[in-house]
Amino acid sequence: MKEPELVYTLVNLNDALDKIVIPKSFQCGDKTLDDYVTSGNLKRAVKSENLHASAICNEHMELVGFMTMGFSLVDKSRVNTTKGNQPKQLAVAKVFMIGVDESHQGRGLGTDLMLEAFTKAVTVHTTIPLKAVYLDAAPGKASFYSEVFGFDELEEDGGYGTTPMYNPIENVIAALLEADDSD
């Protein structure tokens, strides 16, 4: 007998926080992210309006994955892909955290969350120019972000063993168009 297909919903956590069940146990394989969800820090950050948050929820509206993002500046000297006359600091959309509970991994939910981050970045870019999407990849994850999403590693190491990564907005737009074509 075939297992029933799981149903997931992508929601804007900033608008639907009161409708979402934040689990007491969340394990994505990264203790920092797990603690962020289970300690209430995710909920507090959303309530304080310090960031944008999207969530993937199951059919019971329980959070099984999340992505947080905001804006940041990156020194032009750190980036090899700038062209033309650019300011000393480049405006970027920054993905702060992204994680999917291990029991739901392998279903493309992390990709859905990253594409949602790309969509948010491009939406802002149409009004206020951004140069890229930026993230600090967790230890051991840089090759994944490079191969799957086209991020480039920046020269300097990030804090806590992370790898700073940069994906020019032109590549982000192309990735969204490619994702649309594959649907």
Side-chain angles (χ1 to χ4, degrees):
M1 181 177 214
K2 188 178 174 185
E3 250 183 66
E5 187 173 319
L6 297 174
V7 176
Y8 297 101
T9 304
L10 178 66
V11 297
N12 179 333
L13 206 49
N14 300 77
D15 294 336
L17 185 61
D18 295 334
K19 298 177 180 91
I20 306 303
V21 177
I22 307 286
K24 300 226 184 291
S25 173
F26 182 87
Q27 295 180 333
C28 69
D30 184 308
K31 184 170 175 18
T32 300
L33 297 179
D34 297 344
D35 292 346
Y36 187 70
V37 173
T38 59
S39 69
N41 285 338
L42 172 61
K43 196 171 196 175
R44 278 190 289 283
V46 171
K47 282 184 175 181
S48 67
E49 299 179 355
N50 289 333
L51 47 76
H52 167 78
S54 292
I56 300 265
C57 298
N58 65 16
E59 64 275 8
H60 305 292
M61 294 308 284
E62 298 165 328
L63 181 139
V64 300
F66 75 101
M67 174 274 299
T68 61
M69 67 184 300
F71 297 99
S72 190
L73 297 171
V74 173
D75 288 335
K76 176 175 74 171
S77 63
R78 295 178 65 197
V79 180
N80 296 328
T81 59
T82 61
K83 51 188 165 186
N85 186 18
Q86 300 293 326
K88 289 182 181 184
Q89 293 190 309
L90 307 174
V92 297
K94 182 173 181 181
V95 176
F96 298 121
M97 296 187 177
I98 187 167
V100 175
D101 189 84
E102 290 175 332
S103 64
H104 298 272
Q105 290 178 4
R107 295 180 170 105
L109 302 178
T111 296
D112 290 346
L113 287 166
M114 185 60 74
L115 292 175
E116 178 69 4
F118 284 4
T119 299
K120 297 292 183 193
V122 170
T123 299
V124 170
H125 176 70
T126 61
T127 305
I128 303 168
L130 296 175
K131 296 300 175 190
V133 173
Y134 173 93
L135 58 80
D136 291 310
K141 299 290 185 182
S143 62
F144 170 77
Y145 287 112
S146 179
E147 292 167 15
V148 176
F149 299 108
F151 281 87
D152 296 319
E153 291 185 34
L154 297 181
E155 300 283 325
E156 303 164 21
D157 289 338
Y160 306 100
T162 63
T163 303
M165 303 191 81
Y166 184 93
N167 198 345
I169 199 70
E170 298 83 11
N171 295 358
V172 169
I173 293 168
L176 286 174
L177 291 173
E178 184 177 312
D180 282 346
D181 287 346
S182 67
D183 286 346

